[in-house]
Structures are given as structure tokens and as C-alpha cells.
Amino acid sequence: MKEFSYLKKIKIDNDIEVPFISSKLLEKYSDRIAFGFSTRLGGVSTGHLESMNLSFHRNDDPACVYENHRRFAAAVGYDEKKTVFSDQVHKDHIRKCTEEDTGKGIIKENDITETDGLITNIKELPLMTFYADCVPLLFYAPDKNVIASVHSGWKGTAKKIGPKTAGIFRDDYGCDISKLICFIGPSICKDCYEISSDVAEQFYDMAEYDISAEKEIYNDSIDKYDLKNVHVDEYKSNKTCIDGSGKSYDDSDKTDSWSGKTDDGSNTTCDELYKTRDVTDDSSSITDNELIKYDPENIKDILTYSGNDKYHLSLQKAIRKTLIEAGMKEENIEISGICTACNDKLLFSHRKTNGLRGNLAAVIMLR
């Protein structure tokens, strides 16, 4: 049997390669759903937005953004003109999408406001949420054929937007939560995600130990012990990571639909502008084996004190814990183990670039 590869590379328009991230669990249902998590490769945007920026709100040329959507959709297998966009504000509102939402955000004005999650049982209706470090959640209920795309930053995770989504699957669509599938996609890892105490307090109840006692152990051990043997130092690893700034950020995409006009106001089409434009990156240079990955099972604790009133947080394991508590089975939850900050050549990361970046997107659609 061929070994599963997270990084898919699809040729479109004969010679344009568009890579995206897949899911081992969801791929089992590829005859029923189309899905993917974009990379920063395979598009036409330039500069710090190079090249697959999918946000209309990063000061990019709207025609470039639309062409990027066309390419990503062609690679994953959906009609970009039907895509429904979220309006992310780091809350826990989830919208039940219908045919009336078709194209909102991409070709129509979007009246979907303050919404971090989208759910539907309508076929051929792609649901899209946006990222640059926060956690993408792609859900599929095989028993009732229902999907959801959910954005979970630290605020959404603390508000338990994942379990709330699972509840909607159960209560509004009659799904069996024990059969529900969830892919926790590429996002900032624990090593790279340093947070302040006010954020950490929101996750004390998810910690596997008394965090206050752990702080005392850490402070007492600084002058007495080799920190390599101290439990609270387990978040350090041998892979290259960044120093977290602790700053808050917004990877939402308050999206205006593209009007079909260039900056000078003239009407044009993507084919006219970009059909012959060269790809602005070398996506063939990155392989699945070269992805910097972490093993979620090697992360002992969701929250770890790291000194100076700072902590490191695993949003992915926090989400998985709350989903299991909501009734999902652990074997139906997949954590990609791909960090946006560690893989900044492949993915956009707000923290790694101090906000100078484009937006990634997660999409899922019923065939």
C-alpha cells in the first residue's frame, strides 16, 4: 500500500503545480468530500504575499487573490465561485449554510458576520475559513453526510468552539458524535506558541496538573537543578522553533468579494491576466519528507510554565481533549503535526513574520 503523504501536488492548466495539505482520515471519504488546506505556493501574488495568498484584505491585487482561489479550487476539486467565506472574529458562532449562501465572499457581498464556523449538509457548497497560525478544524459526519469548517484560535478554543460544533452535528443534523471525524490542521505548535499568564488562565482547567504548583517547582529549580530534568521544561525540543512574542493577532478574513475589475477600474478576467503568468515559487523543491513535523503524542502537557510569567500552549491537544469530552472518539481525531511557524517556506505564519504575510485557507465540500 502506498504511504500516505500530507503534501499533495496537483497539476492544473497542464503545467501549474498547486500543492495543498491533506488528511489521512478524511481521505478515506474522498469519494464523498473534497477538502484541503492551502500552502503559500502555487499562486500569483508577490512580495511577502508570495504566492498563494487567499485573503482580499492583505493589500493584495484582488485579481491576484481571485486567480489564487481559482487555482486552489481547481487543485482540490470545487467551483471557487460557489465558495462560502467565514467572517472570523475569534468567537464561537457557527452558521448553518444553505444554497442561499452560495458564493458569499467570493463573488457576492458577504452578509455572514462574526462567524468562525460554517456547517452544511448541502452538496457542492464549499465552506472556507482562513488562517496564519490559528487552528483549522475540518469535520465530516459520514453517517449523515454533513461537513463543517471551523476556525479555532486561542479564544475559540477556550470557548470550546470545536465541541459546540459537534453539538450542532448531533442536535441539528442527527449525527452520531462517536462517528464524527475531525482533522486538526496545520497551525502553530506548542514550542512556537508562547502566551502570557492572562491567556494561560483560560486553559488552567485543561492542564493535566496543578499549574500553580508547577510554577513554584520551576522557580525553585532554577538555581538548584539541571533544567533538562525538570518536568516543566518538556516543551523544548530539538527542532528549530521561534521565540513567541506573546502578542495577540488576527488571522481572520473580513472579505470583500472581488468585483471583477482591476485597480484602474477596467473589466478583465483572470484568464486574460494570468493564464500565461509564470508560477512565482518553486513548489517542487519541498517534499512531504522535508516537512518539519512534531508528534502530538510526545507532548506530555497541554500547558507548560516556561518562566517569566510565560507559558507554552498546545492548542491542538486542548482541542482534542475537549472534543473527546464532547463524545468524539480519539481515533476519529487527527492532528496533522505540521506547524505553520516551523514551516514558513511552505505556510504563512503571523508570528514568524510579525504579521507580514498572506492568508491560508481550509476548505471542505460535499460532492
Side-chain angles (χ1 to χ4, degrees):
M1 181 180 293
K2 186 178 179 180
E3 185 178 354
F4 174 78
S5 174
Y6 273 107
L7 186 61
K8 308 295 183 184
K9 295 182 178 182
I10 306 299
K11 291 275 190 179
I12 67 168
D13 303 339
N14 296 321
D15 61 350
I16 299 174
E17 187 172 79
V18 179
F20 63 89
I21 304 296
S22 186
S23 156
K24 189 173 185 178
L25 282 181
L26 292 178
E27 197 166 274
K28 297 176 182 178
Y29 303 95
S30 58
D31 60 327
R32 301 167 68 178
I33 57 175
F35 66 92
F37 185 81
S38 70
T39 72
R40 65 179 300 168
L41 307 179
V44 297
S45 298
T46 59
H48 66 274
L49 300 170
E50 185 178 350
S51 64
M52 185 63 77
N53 167 49
L54 293 174
S55 171
F56 286 100
H57 284 269
R58 306 302 300 181
N59 295 317
D60 200 353
D61 180 345
C64 288
V65 179
Y66 189 90
E67 170 64 4
N68 291 341
H69 276 281
R70 186 194 70 82
R71 291 185 178 197
F72 182 49
V76 175
Y78 65 93
D79 183 348
E80 80 280 355
K81 295 185 294 296
K82 294 182 177 180
T83 313
V84 185
F85 286 7
S86 58
D87 179 58
Q88 295 160 203
V89 289
H90 295 271
K91 293 185 179 180
D92 61 350
H93 179 64
I94 299 139
R95 182 183 179 95
K96 295 171 62 177
C97 296
T98 68
E99 292 94 336
E100 294 181 357
D101 295 317
T102 302
K104 289 183 177 178
I106 183 75
I107 61 170
K108 298 178 184 176
E109 183 177 351
N110 198 355
D111 62 358
I112 298 174
T113 59
E114 299 192 357
T115 299
D116 282 73
L118 306 169
I119 188 169
T120 195
N121 61 355
I122 305 299
K123 291 185 177 182
E124 305 295 328
L125 190 64
L127 308 180
M128 181 170 284
T129 46
F130 299 88
Y131 304 90
D133 278 339
C134 288
V135 187
L137 306 179
L138 291 179
F139 290 91
Y140 177 56
D143 57 333
K144 297 294 183 178
N145 215 29
V146 184
I147 54 170
S149 183
V150 176
H151 165 267
S152 188
W154 76 259
K155 290 183 180 179
T157 303
K159 292 176 182 292
K160 300 186 178 179
I161 191 172
K164 183 175 179 180
T165 304
I168 294 174
F169 272 95
R170 179 194 61 222
D171 299 337
D172 293 14
Y173 294 94
C175 304
D176 183 347
I177 291 183
S178 69
K179 297 178 181 178
L180 186 61
I181 308 295
C182 181
F183 175 56
I184 301 175
S187 42
I188 195 165
C189 72
K190 185 181 180 183
D191 282 4
C192 296
Y193 194 40
E194 183 179 78
I195 58 174
S196 56
S197 59
D198 59 327
V199 175
E201 288 171 0
Q202 308 296 316
F203 296 90
Y204 279 5
D205 62 335
M206 298 185 196
E208 293 84 350
Y209 56 90
D210 184 346
I211 195 70
S212 298
E214 198 72 5
K215 283 182 67 174
E216 293 181 10
I217 293 172
Y218 183 97
N219 292 331
D220 289 344
S221 67
I222 289 177
D223 296 323
K224 297 179 182 179
Y225 305 105
D226 178 356
L227 280 181
K228 283 189 264 186
N229 296 319
V230 177
H231 169 68
V232 296
D233 206 42
E234 63 85 18
Y235 74 87
K236 293 183 178 178
S237 74
N238 58 7
K239 66 182 179 64
T240 303
C241 293
I242 62 169
D243 293 327
S245 65
K247 296 178 181 178
S248 62
Y249 65 94
D250 184 4
D251 61 1
S252 63
D253 190 52
K254 295 181 179 297
T255 311
D256 293 327
S257 57
W258 182 45
S259 65
K261 296 180 183 295
T262 57
D263 289 341
D264 62 6
S266 60
N267 287 303
T268 187
T269 66
C270 292
D271 283 348
E272 291 170 350
L273 282 173
Y274 299 111
K275 193 70 173 181
T276 60
R277 182 169 174 174
D278 292 335
V279 179
T280 57
D281 52 65
D282 183 14
S283 60
S284 61
S285 64
I286 298 178
T287 66
D288 194 71
N289 291 333
E290 292 172 327
L291 284 173
I292 300 174
K293 301 177 184 177
Y294 63 92
D295 184 350
E297 305 315 314
N298 288 338
I299 300 174
K300 290 188 289 184
D301 300 307
I302 289 171
L303 185 67
T304 304
Y305 183 66
S306 52
N308 298 319
D309 214 25
K310 299 292 185 181
Y311 301 75
H312 280 74
L313 172 66
S314 172
L315 285 169
Q316 300 80 11
K317 293 203 74 171
I319 291 167
R320 183 171 71 176
K321 178 182 175 70
T322 60
L323 289 175
I324 292 170
E325 291 173 347
M328 288 189 64
K329 291 186 176 180
E330 185 172 355
E331 59 265 30
N332 289 340
I333 304 170
E334 175 186 7
I335 298 177
S336 74
I338 301 170
C339 173
T340 45
C342 293
N343 292 280
D344 61 304
K345 300 298 182 184
L346 179 70
L347 304 168
F348 290 120
S349 169
H350 186 95
R351 285 207 173 194
K352 189 66 176 283
T353 61
N354 292 316
L356 200 65
R357 46 78 184 175
N359 264 18
L360 307 163
V363 68
I364 188 166
M365 181 196 73
L366 291 171
R367 297 188 188 277

